[in-house]
Amino acid sequence: MTTIAVVYYSSTGNVARLAEAAASAAEKAGAEVRLRRIADLPDDTYVPGTEDAARELRERTADVPVVDLADLAWADGILIGSPVRFGLPAAPVLRFIDSTAPLSIPGGLADKAVSAFTSGSAPRGGHETTILALHNAFCHWGSLILATGSTDPVLFRPNNGNPYGASAVSRNVPGQVHEENIAAVEYQARRLVRVAGVVRGLDTP
């Protein structure tokens, strides 16, 4: 069975919603899935007015295990989600990426299918650059980057269109993820299951 790790950091719930949809879609596609969250940093900051939503999210997802390197080593395919922060992944995600060196430098992430998704406050507000910044790390890992591309009708719906990975426009409203964005990340997850399964099959003696 193909194994998929859906790893995310979410400040107020939008990325978490995408991650949950991706994990469910991957399971329905026949994969064994681990949904894992990236831990907050002690000094995480939030957009003013979203503190209550952040606290509610922490309470709601307290039972989601925090990711560790064993989850990445276990997975045939990895899907990583981050909010947009000034066109970059959020600091907790970057900190987690830094922590992968003991696994990635010896080649532990080489040849795994890896993909990324995001949510940000505004259209053209850094969605693509956030995903591409994660792609930089995936290149260092030696992983096989799986973009969404223009490969399915769902990606041409009015609220989609990003060819690098699924993304949602939140307008800084907690929990605001359009159903078209959900459909896009579900497609992305199914595609990751398929491609990771092919790669796994090629590695089978």
Side-chain angles (χ1 to χ4, degrees):
M1 178 181 289
T2 302
T3 53
I4 300 293
V6 180
V7 179
Y8 74 93
Y9 170 75
S10 187
S11 57
T12 60
N14 299 306
V15 174
R17 178 70 187 91
L18 291 168
E20 291 159 358
S24 177
E27 287 182 343
K28 290 176 182 176
E32 182 178 353
V33 179
R34 291 184 183 178
L35 178 65
R36 297 291 186 265
R37 61 184 173 87
I38 296 171
D40 298 344
L41 296 178
D43 56 351
D44 273 356
T45 58
Y46 305 98
V47 174
T50 64
E51 294 87 354
D52 288 346
R55 184 179 62 257
E56 290 171 4
L57 177 67
R58 300 299 168 263
E59 294 172 355
R60 182 173 69 81
T61 60
D63 61 341
V64 178
V66 172
V67 66
D68 62 31
L69 296 188
D71 296 312
L72 302 189
W74 166 84
D76 298 315
I78 302 167
L79 186 56
I80 296 184
S82 172
V84 174
R85 292 290 185 270
F86 298 99
L88 294 168
V93 179
L94 294 175
R95 174 66 183 85
F96 172 69
I97 294 292
D98 283 351
S99 79
T100 64
L103 177 62
S104 64
I105 290 176
L109 298 175
D111 301 331
K112 292 180 184 285
V114 185
S115 198
F117 62 95
T118 190
S119 175
S121 62
R124 296 169 299 280
H127 293 219
E128 293 90 344
T129 56
T130 295
I131 292 173
L132 290 173
L134 288 169
H135 286 184
N136 289 338
F138 304 162
C139 286
H140 284 263
W141 288 355
S143 301
L144 307 176
I145 297 172
L146 186 67
T148 50
S150 299
T151 54
D152 189 88
V154 70
L155 303 173
F156 295 96
R157 294 179 185 173
N159 287 279
N160 292 325
N162 176 359
Y164 305 103
S167 62
V169 177
S170 70
R171 300 292 186 186
N172 288 326
V173 178
Q176 179 165 290
V177 180
H178 196 280
E179 62 182 11
E180 292 176 356
N181 307 146
I182 295 295
V185 82
E186 289 173 339
Y187 166 74
Q188 186 175 2
R190 292 191 299 269
R191 189 162 186 256
L192 181 65
V193 171
R194 184 173 69 253
V195 172
V198 169
V199 174
R200 175 179 176 167
L202 292 174
D203 286 341
T204 301

